[in-house]
């Protein structure tokens, strides 16, 4: 990713049934590389921001954007990274 000079993250979750863990995957849209895959019992804003921060703390390049097919207020947390 260093040769790209930036990343655009995609976050997506798959919940098989209500009450079960959700598998969250964060990948770089430019390279297609999966950067994190983790299960969570919750899909609260704070939990998703924590996942994004976990990825952000491992990157040596800036995050130019975060995309998702969900509607949640992660965009308001941009100042965290």
């Amino acid at each position: 990713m260093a040769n790209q000079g930036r990343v655009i993250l995609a976050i997506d979750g798959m919940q098989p049934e209500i009450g079960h863990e959700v598998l969250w995957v964060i990948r770089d849209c430019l390279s297609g590389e999966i950067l994190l895959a983790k299960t969570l019992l919750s899909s609260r804003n704070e939990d998703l921001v924590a996942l994004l921060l976990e990825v952000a703390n491992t990157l040596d390049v800036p995050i130019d954007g975060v995309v998702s097919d969900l509607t949640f207020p992660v965009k308001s947390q941009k100042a965290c990274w």
Side-chain angles (χ1 to χ4, degrees):
M1 283 177 277
N3 61 343
Q4 296 172 183
R6 64 189 179 125
V7 294
I8 298 174
L9 300 179
I11 182 170
D12 197 13
M14 183 187 81
Q15 183 173 14
E17 294 179 21
I18 294 176
H20 293 278
E21 292 183 327
V22 178
L23 173 63
W24 287 97
V25 177
I26 300 176
R27 68 178 178 86
D28 173 35
C29 293
L30 301 175
S31 68
E33 182 178 344
I34 294 175
L35 304 174
L36 180 73
K38 189 176 270 191
T39 58
L40 296 176
L41 283 172
S42 168
S43 297
R44 296 178 315 141
N45 183 48
E46 295 84 7
D47 297 327
L48 301 180
V49 169
L51 291 180
L52 290 167
L53 285 173
E54 187 175 335
V55 170
N57 290 333
T58 66
L59 297 174
D60 294 330
V61 295
I63 298 170
D64 276 0
V66 178
V67 296
S68 175
D69 59 354
L70 299 174
T71 304
F72 56 88
V74 169
K75 63 184 175 194
S76 66
Q77 301 293 327
K78 179 135 174 67
C80 293
W81 59 75

